[in-house]
Amino acid sequence: MPSRDNRSPSELRKIALEPGIAPNAQGSVLCSFGSTRVICAASIEDTVPRWMKEQGVQGGWLTAEYSMLPYSTLSRKTRDATRGKIDGRSTEIQRLIGRSLRAAVDLSAIGSRTIWIDCDVLQADGGTRTASITGACVAVELALRALVNQGKLSRLPMKRRVAAVSVGIVDGEPRLDLDYLEDRDASVDMNLVMTDKSEYVEVQGSGEEAVFTDAELTAMLDLGRQGIQSLLSIQNQLLSA
Amino acid sequence: MPSRDNRSPSELRKIALEPGIAPNAQGSVLCSFGSTRVICAASIEDTVPRWMKEQGVQGGWLTAEYSMLPYSTLSRKTRDATRGKIDGRSTEIQRLIGRSLRAAVDLSAIGSRTIWIDCDVLQADGGTRTASITGACVAVELALRALVNQGKLSRLPMKRRVAAVSVGIVDGEPRLDLDYLEDRDASVDMNLVMTDKSEYVEVQGSGEEAVFTDAELTAMLDLGRQGIQSLLSIQNQLLSA
Amino acid sequence: MPSRDNRSPSELRKIALEPGIAPNAQGSVLCSFGSTRVICAASIEDTVPRWMKEQGVQGGWLTAEYSMLPYSTLSRKTRDATRGKIDGRSTEIQRLIGRSLRAAVDLSAIGSRTIWIDCDVLQADGGTRTASITGACVAVELALRALVNQGKLSRLPMKRRVAAVSVGIVDGEPRLDLDYLEDRDASVDMNLVMTDKSEYVEVQGSGEEAVFTDAELTAMLDLGRQGIQSLLSIQNQLLSA
Amino acid sequence: MPSRDNRSPSELRKIALEPGIAPNAQGSVLCSFGSTRVICAASIEDTVPRWMKEQGVQGGWLTAEYSMLPYSTLSRKTRDATRGKIDGRSTEIQRLIGRSLRAAVDLSAIGSRTIWIDCDVLQADGGTRTASITGACVAVELALRALVNQGKLSRLPMKRRVAAVSVGIVDGEPRLDLDYLEDRDASVDMNLVMTDKSEYVEVQGSGEEAVFTDAELTAMLDLGRQGIQSLLSIQNQLLSA
Amino acid sequence: MPSRDNRSPSELRKIALEPGIAPNAQGSVLCSFGSTRVICAASIEDTVPRWMKEQGVQGGWLTAEYSMLPYSTLSRKTRDATRGKIDGRSTEIQRLIGRSLRAAVDLSAIGSRTIWIDCDVLQADGGTRTASITGACVAVELALRALVNQGKLSRLPMKRRVAAVSVGIVDGEPRLDLDYLEDRDASVDMNLVMTDKSEYVEVQGSGEEAVFTDAELTAMLDLGRQGIQSLLSIQNQLLSA
Amino acid sequence: MPSRDNRSPSELRKIALEPGIAPNAQGSVLCSFGSTRVICAASIEDTVPRWMKEQGVQGGWLTAEYSMLPYSTLSRKTRDATRGKIDGRSTEIQRLIGRSLRAAVDLSAIGSRTIWIDCDVLQADGGTRTASITGACVAVELALRALVNQGKLSRLPMKRRVAAVSVGIVDGEPRLDLDYLEDRDASVDMNLVMTDKSEYVEVQGSGEEAVFTDAELTAMLDLGRQGIQSLLSIQNQLLSA
């Protein structure tokens, strides 16, 4: 059975949330899930996308961009800008981050503003999308608090907090929060985004080239639910401080 | 409650699979889920991608491309080629189609070949990705049978058949196979890809900007499982003929 | 002499025009010249290009896009969107379709609207551009009739009908409506677009790397003129029905 | 009737061919048709395109690129490189130049070489494509002569010389070699490429949004044939010197 | 020591400025530094960039584009438009030309206009950027004089004239105005842009992969200053005529 | 006179070099010049660019990429990958970083390897290019030491160390190491790259739209030389530890 740095199957890696990594953003945090480290920043722009104006949609918007820095992987990754386009995997991840955070923020209450979430992976060891979502939720709340403190909003427009974790089946065993080697060896890979009320925001399970049973699905959902409660509690420690 | 053209919540739309829509492809089918119609074609190329050669990976490869024809929607959609790039939604869908079909085909048994799946939406009314996967499975099997008939393969390299369906929560009610209007109004949208042995290949559920409970998840999985059995049986009628 | 499926040199292939292939477009037809099959759709947009607004040009506009579906050829053709640009041949063809149809429609009488013509080749066996133009004329007239029926236009703004056919010199013999193998072997290749009053709209003859004489030009124009009369009569059967 | 700088309808503008405009190319000429001036250069590369190598095609290749310099027009034209792509009109013209010159050169006799023709318009006043072809033929012959003089080829691999001219119908009158204002006002515009044996290489006539009769076609072909003989004689003066 | 066509180390190559190379531009000159020849054109547009309008900046703008024509080099150079982007070296040079000429023109006095400078290299033999700047200054002054003559400006809005020259260290010896072979062999390469009052506009010295001392810097600046005085005097001859 | 956070005109901002910011790169450092913070990483690839192979050039290569993270500026900066290309300023800076570090490393002694330098600006407050070069030199030396320690190189292939600093004229006063506000207000802006032997690697001075005298140039070079000695000494503290 692949080693798992002495963690039990239901244990998260060491989680850390360090605020202020990008002082020019309204909110930012360096989010670590073990050796995976992601810079999560939330910037507020006092305008909305053209389609909202054209369609007369009220309120604000939230969108996300995700990128792996070229030195985040063991062998250097070519920059998207050099290739001239964003790859399919990054596109999927940034759409997932955007949907997840739009479930967290009450966009009708932020005025004609756009919240830009940027997630840049500084070091990649599996679970970069779940660390991105978990960190982005903190960055966004910090940015919105700044707006409240500046008197630009009268109350914090958060509908709920969200966090995300990966689960998988490795050697037949359900495991929480896979690192890169586990992820590579997993026969099933699932990403869960859930709220502080144990609701689902996103459930994305893929057998890649394999398949999985209903029992395996249930076991993974159970593991994930526990992991997300721990992540929400770590977010809360920082945000209640 | 939104109308549903007299279908019960657990009923599929009218499904049709018409083979031979694109005679220059090795296998092709026009797949209809109600008013949604997708041209699904499987073309075989006698080469593999450069990365397989460079990494010395044996066997073949399968990849998918998905596109909405400009006249498939009520207001004309700009072509990807005109915009110079494929949009994020299409990227996600073609990656999903590719993963799903790679679960169906034994790529180690097709030789140094690439199976190209093309799904072009002729008419869009919700569920284009599930119609694409359901049709693509038939197109691929037809193409592989042609290889067997030509003596290029000694046996049919299908590991299993796959089909896909959408499920959602509309006005609080779980429903199968949403059309465009239902999809637009759904609070939760889930796409399921399953096999002829009731295994999961992909589970993708998203509350978009809302959330869903464990009970809703279970109800949607149950509805979807039934729908997929019907789809597999319709595939089987065509392929057993 | 290359076989020609029992057609005489002055005979068209089997021509078919099937309306309604793309129900979400205002007008559409599947146009077949033998094994060549092209989806022709006309979509109406209630706006005009920016340059017309900026230059204060009155009336409407008509523009065309042409594409070969990847499975239209015997060996799969890479999508334009994947290559990120439209190739030179497609650019020429879509400009030709646009010019030809602008000769047919009275753009001053369609209001501030744009007619989008889309020609997507489902199966390619020579003559895709002539089938595109011949089918596009029908699709456009169907779309304009729909506008008249909806009371948006008071009369049908067609100045004339147009049709197109290829002619060539194969093994020294002038031939009408070349299929792919004839086209490949032709020493001269000409495309004619003409009206229902025997006027020319476009004459495009190219020796490719060879040359042709005045007598050959005359013979080709004669053959083409006859072919176009037949095509106009087939259009008329459908549109008079 | 639009003025025509005292030329008769069958008269060419002042034609000039000045060799050596681009000394680093193997052959070059500045070709003027009245105020239209085009830099025509032929460069020889000791390699062939990848597709020729892959398909095992023997001999050489010839290809053309055409561009309007930004200051060639009265109001500055944005560069293709700035827009990131070549426009449809330029694509058509460079394909026409390439086909025309491939009819002139015996590519099987130039070895594994590529002839690059570059036509850059320094000043535009109608007829830039015909000036390009007429000048390119001279530039190519000068470049091939240089190869012969360097002992790289044993004989001059020219099959024939080609020249090109425009003809049109302006105010009902057939006219040769239209300048910009005549071209703008012409109801029919035709470009002819012919050889020194009075054969056609290309015939491209377009009514743009109008149509033309058989009699008009004949009149234009007659005018064009005469004009091309004069151009070939001017080419010959330079090349026989 | 590399040959230097009989020039002393402090001597310029033969300099020529021929006005009127591009009659459709408001001002133009063909600038030669020995075998290096650059078409320099200045076009005036009666509008300013969007950012000036949005930020409410008064006055006009000046911007430059630089390109090497494909036949300017001994082995043909691929066009930027074909590669779809401008290379890094060209980007640097056009930014340098723009900054240098913005130091020459009083942009607050040209009204809401944009001066476009285009520098296209017809023949390259080292020093194309310095010939571009030296020629562009003349082209711009000619264009601004035309505006004054047309009564569109009341006075010539030139703050100063600028010229540019290269200096380098070849075989340990400081040399002025390097040709291509000297430039290739130089251990240090410096470009100077100076005014008619001996002020610096730009100083760009690079050891490429080597380094240089303070004494070498001083020697190069001295040589360059002399060369620029000669260039300014040649500009003056043309502009005072 | 603009405030300068209590620094004297010849004083650097607080400089910090924190190694290990990107553990997956062979060498990395977070380089701070006051509030300007840049992630500098050096990655080693065991291959060389295609042009070196094709031209048979021995030894290795070094290249640099520079990017501002979107949250590095007070108002969010659009990603290069989103715009699909790298802007002119970034292109210039990454070319400067590459040239500067190629002066530092003995590329003939690193084998067939490429050193990739990545400089990503986390926080921008003026001087990002000089912080990039100063940090990159440390990252590269750390990476090369790692190769030595792994026995892949027998000795450290550094020819010299380099560092960089900006100098400018603000309100008539020469100043060292400008922050963003000073840079914006400076009439002259110069960047110097120098070695530990007081040699110049690059001198880039620009009056932007103004000019500067010989005396001002001398004063700036003096200030810069002192600043660079301090930077080299800070590099040395880290690398000698």
Side-chain angles (χ1 to χ4, degrees), chain B residues 65-81:
Chain B
E65 298 197 345
Y66 166 94
S67 180
M68 296 182 76
L69 288 162
Y71 35 80
S72 62
T73 44
L74 282 171
S75 74
R76 187 180 178 275
K77 188 174 178 299
T78 304
R79 285 174 194 266
D80 291 332

Side-chain angles (χ1 to χ4, degrees), chain D residues 3 15 50 59 62 76 81 86 91 98 111 121 133 138 167 169 176 188 191 197 199 204 206 211 219 225 231 238:
Chain D
S3 97
I15 309 297
R50 184 195 300 248
L62 181 152
R76 185 179 180 276
I86 300 167
T91 302
V121 180
I133 292 168
V138 173
V167 280
I169 309 279
L176 182 69
V188 189
N191 290 288
K197 295 194 181 59
E199 300 146 326
Q204 294 200 336
S206 169
V211 295
R225 196 177 300 114
L231 291 168
L238 172 65

Side-chain angles (χ1 to χ4, degrees), chain B residues 25-28 42 44 138-153 156-157:
Chain B
Q26 276 84 348
S28 69
I44 313 280
V138 173
V140 166
E141 185 160 333
L142 291 174
L144 291 173
R145 285 180 180 189
L147 287 191
V148 171
N149 289 342
Q150 294 157 20
K152 293 185 179 167
L153 292 178
L156 188 68

Side-chain angles (χ1 to χ4, degrees), chain D residues 117-164:
Chain D
I117 295 173
D118 287 289
C119 296
D120 287 281
V121 180
L122 192 53
Q123 197 178 351
D125 185 30
T128 63
R129 81 188 71 189
T130 54
S132 293
I133 292 168
T134 303
C137 183
V138 173
V140 165
E141 185 161 332
L142 291 174
L144 291 173
R145 286 181 180 190
L147 287 192
V148 172
N149 289 342
Q150 293 157 20
K152 294 186 179 166
L153 293 177
S154 55
R155 60 170 189 80
L156 188 68
M158 294 287 292
K159 292 191 289 192
R160 53 181 75 90
R161 289 201 191 129
V162 299

